[in-house]
């Protein structure tokens, strides 16, 4: 069996793997990308990069590629409680990085980033089936490429194949999961009447509904319905589209927005429970993106977190010729910012998505505290994990201090 050597192999050619391949190939690294899919299709992935992720995209030099793929900036964030608009926020002035949300169509974005990685010198193998990985001083990947089994060796192997793929288990990482609590349904819709330079977020806490719309231009939006598992249903398949629209309207979306709406892709629902790996590096293998830490998609942090991973790992690799040391440095920093995101998401879910008298009383107390002091509200969703959080932060957030 032939063995081919590289500096870096990324298992997965999605946003994480393609971005890392591009930025490292530009620095002279010999990079191989092994991607399972020959053609990218709409699989209802995240399509909104929060402002802190937009800043990461610019730092990585991939922002222009995302825009060229059809991406667009959404500088405004409109928040609603039910049908009542409670905020109209200029993110370029009020978020910590002073950036907009960047929205794009995921399959096209993947194609453009992989093409950019190839132009930078990376070797792209689409339609490749990874069969196994061996960690150690000379880590290797066994894959089936063009019908033949090939062994690839690298200084560093990257798992970038998502939260449900087997790579991280093959590589000996222990995956942790939160208990289930929320579900997230996503659907691409055309002919939706909505202001298209704005991200729209409707909260109906009494029903435990969180509705999101991210315009992609020309009347197309990616919509999400986030709701509690206790609701007892899953919005999946063409037959559930009427209920998807119905739940959106219950959450506060004006019915007029959907007067001419037509589905432009599949409807699928995903579990909101986060999954992660503590210290996502060992023995020549690192995990990035959802493979290393998949947050609750309810709160839309996945793509921003992915780009933070890529940037932190890139900087570690360029800053130390000893890539084992660099890998551990990346993993330590990843654990720090992932914990901030994870903790705050759990608090937001408890405060905003739970229903019942006790939950209503909790919200009344917290909202009153926020009105008195806006710094208690936290802004991790849009501004990112700027500073560490602790028990006192939690007490302030819930209005218990």
């Amino acid at each position: 069996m032939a063995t081919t050597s590289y500096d870096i192999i990324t298992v997965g050619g999605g946003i994480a793997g393609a971005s890392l391949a591009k930025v490292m190939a530009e620095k002279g690294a010999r990079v191989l990308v092994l991607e399972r899919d020959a053609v990218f299709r709409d699989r209802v992935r995240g399509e909104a990069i929060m402002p802190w992720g937009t800043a990461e995209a610019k730092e990585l030099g991939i922002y222009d590629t995302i825009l060229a793929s059809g991406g667009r900036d959404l500088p405004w964030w409109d928040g609603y409680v039910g049908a009542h608009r409670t905020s109209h926020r200029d993110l370029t002035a009020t978020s910590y990085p002073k950036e907009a949300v960047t929205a794009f169509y995921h399959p096209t974005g993947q194609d453009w980033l992989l093409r950019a990685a190839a132009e930078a010198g990376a070797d792209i193998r689409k339609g490749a089936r990874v069969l196994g990985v061996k960690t150690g001083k000379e880590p290797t990947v066994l894959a089936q490429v063009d019908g033949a089994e090939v062994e690839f060796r690298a200084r560093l192997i990257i798992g970038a194949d998502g939260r449900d793929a087997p790579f991280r288990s093959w590589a000996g990482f222990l995956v942790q999961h939160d208990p289930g609590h929320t579900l997230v349904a996503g659907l691409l819709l055309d002919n939706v009447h909505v202001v298209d330079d704005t991200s729209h977020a409707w909260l109906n806490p009494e029903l435990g509904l969180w509705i999101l719309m991210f315009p992609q231009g020309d009347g197309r939006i990616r919509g999400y319905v986030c709701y509690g598992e206790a609701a007892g249903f899953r919005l999946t398949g063409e037959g559930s589209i009427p209920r998807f629209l119905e739940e959106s309207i219950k959450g506060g979306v004006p019915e007029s927005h959907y007067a001419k709406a037509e589905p432009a892709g599949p409807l699928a629902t995903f579990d909101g429970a986060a999954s992660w790996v503590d210290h996502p590096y060992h023995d020549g293998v690192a995990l990035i993106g959802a493979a290393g830490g998949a947050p609750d998609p309810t709160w839309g942090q996945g793509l921003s977190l992915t780009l933070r991973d890529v940037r932190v790992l890139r900087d570690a690799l360029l800053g130390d010729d000893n890539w084992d040391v660099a890998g551990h440095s990346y993993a330590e920093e990843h654990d720090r910012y992932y914990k901030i995101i994870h903790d705050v998401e759990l608090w937001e879910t408890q405060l905003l998505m739970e229903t019942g008298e006790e939950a209503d009383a909790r919200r009344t107390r917290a909202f009153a505290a926020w009105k008195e002091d806006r710094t208690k509200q936290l802004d991790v969703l849009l501004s990112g994990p700027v500073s560490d959080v602790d028990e006192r932060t939690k007490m302030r957030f819930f209005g218990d201090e």
Side-chain angles (χ1 to χ4, degrees), residues 202-379:
W202 288 267
L203 176 68
N204 187 324
E206 292 183 0
L207 297 178
L209 286 170
W210 172 243
I211 315 299
L212 295 160
M213 279 190 190
F214 299 103
Q216 296 189 356
D218 298 323
R220 171 168 287 188
I221 63 102
R222 176 68 73 178
Y224 300 96
V225 174
C226 310
Y227 59 103
E229 278 192 342
F233 61 88
R234 294 181 76 93
L235 298 170
T236 301
E238 185 176 351
S240 293
I241 290 175
R243 184 156 192 183
F244 177 94
L245 301 179
E246 177 186 332
E247 295 297 324
S248 299
I249 293 167
K250 283 182 184 178
V253 178
E255 192 169 354
S256 59
H257 285 6
Y258 293 136
K260 297 181 180 180
E262 297 178 353
L267 169 61
T269 291
F270 299 89
D271 295 331
S275 66
W276 70 95
V277 166
D278 287 333
H279 202 82
Y281 170 80
H282 74 80
D283 298 318
V285 178
L287 306 176
I288 61 174
D296 180 349
T298 303
W299 307 110
Q301 304 298 287
L303 285 170
S304 300
L305 178 63
T306 290
L307 298 182
R308 172 66 60 88
D309 285 353
V310 172
R311 196 264 300 166
V312 170
L313 180 56
R314 178 203 66 178
D315 291 351
L317 296 175
L318 295 179
D320 198 319
D321 288 337
N322 185 329
W323 280 10
D324 188 61
V325 172
H328 286 296
S329 175
Y330 154 73
E332 289 170 8
E333 176 62 6
H334 168 93
D335 285 354
R336 186 192 70 79
Y337 55 75
Y338 183 81
K339 183 179 186 303
I340 297 168
I341 293 167
H342 184 228
D343 286 351
V344 173
E345 286 185 346
L346 289 176
W347 303 345
E348 288 175 328
T349 299
Q350 182 181 5
L351 183 64
L352 303 178
M353 300 292 289
E354 291 186 0
T355 58
E357 291 184 7
E358 184 178 339
D360 290 341
R362 188 185 303 124
R363 274 188 289 274
T364 298
R365 185 169 63 251
F367 290 173
W370 294 1
K371 187 174 181 179
E372 182 180 290
D373 181 354
R374 286 294 182 187
T375 66
K376 294 181 178 180
Q377 186 172 352
L378 302 181
D379 197 37

Side-chain angles (χ1 to χ4, degrees), residues 116-145:
E119 290 172 355
D123 183 2
I124 312 297
R125 308 287 184 93
K126 297 180 77 172
R129 181 185 171 208
V130 174
L131 304 174
V133 60
K134 183 174 71 174
T135 65
K137 188 175 181 180
E138 293 187 335
T140 59
V141 173
L142 179 64
Q144 188 175 67
V145 180

Side-chain angles (χ1 to χ4, degrees), residues 69-269:
S69 77
R72 62 205 318 270
D73 282 341
L74 307 178
W76 296 95
W77 182 279
D78 281 5
Y80 306 80
V81 175
H84 177 62
R85 189 171 79 175
T86 56
S87 65
H88 178 59
R89 180 175 173 183
D90 181 358
L91 299 174
T92 64
T94 63
S95 68
Y96 176 77
K98 293 184 167 47
E99 298 284 359
V101 168
T102 303
F104 66 103
Y105 182 53
H106 202 114
T108 306
Q110 288 177 290
D111 274 329
W112 278 70
L113 284 168
L114 269 186
R115 190 184 312 160
E119 290 172 355
D123 183 2
I124 312 297
R125 308 287 184 93
K126 297 180 77 172
R129 181 185 171 208
V130 174
L131 304 174
V133 60
K134 183 174 71 174
T135 65
K137 188 175 181 180
E138 293 187 335
T140 59
V141 173
L142 179 64
Q144 188 175 67
V145 180
D146 297 328
E149 289 189 6
V150 185
E151 186 177 69
F152 299 100
R153 181 179 295 120
R155 290 179 65 190
L156 179 66
I157 295 174
I158 306 295
D161 56 347
R163 64 186 293 167
D164 298 319
F167 178 89
R168 55 188 180 179
S169 296
W170 290 346
F173 291 97
L174 176 63
V175 181
Q176 301 189 64
H177 301 267
D178 279 336
H181 45 72
T182 55
L183 297 171
V184 180
L187 176 64
L188 197 65
L189 288 164
D190 281 335
N191 302 321
V192 175
H193 179 68
V194 66
V195 177
D196 71 356
D197 65 350
T198 303
S199 303
H200 303 268
W202 288 267
L203 176 68
N204 187 324
E206 292 183 0
L207 297 178
L209 286 170
W210 172 243
I211 315 299
L212 295 160
M213 279 190 190
F214 299 103
Q216 296 189 356
D218 298 323
R220 171 168 287 188
I221 63 102
R222 176 68 73 178
Y224 300 96
V225 174
C226 310
Y227 59 103
E229 278 192 342
F233 61 88
R234 294 181 76 93
L235 298 170
T236 301
E238 185 176 351
S240 293
I241 290 175
R243 184 156 192 183
F244 177 94
L245 301 179
E246 177 186 332
E247 295 297 324
S248 299
I249 293 167
K250 283 182 184 178
V253 178
E255 192 169 354
S256 59
H257 285 6
Y258 293 136
K260 297 181 180 180
E262 297 178 353
L267 169 61
T269 291

Side-chain angles (χ1 to χ4, degrees), residues 27-49:
K27 297 299 183 180
R30 293 170 296 120
V31 184
L32 169 67
V33 178
L34 297 173
E35 166 55 40
R36 178 190 61 188
D37 292 335
V39 177
F40 296 124
R41 296 180 174 86
D42 184 2
R43 296 169 61 191
V44 192
R45 302 280 183 86
E47 291 181 334
I49 304 172

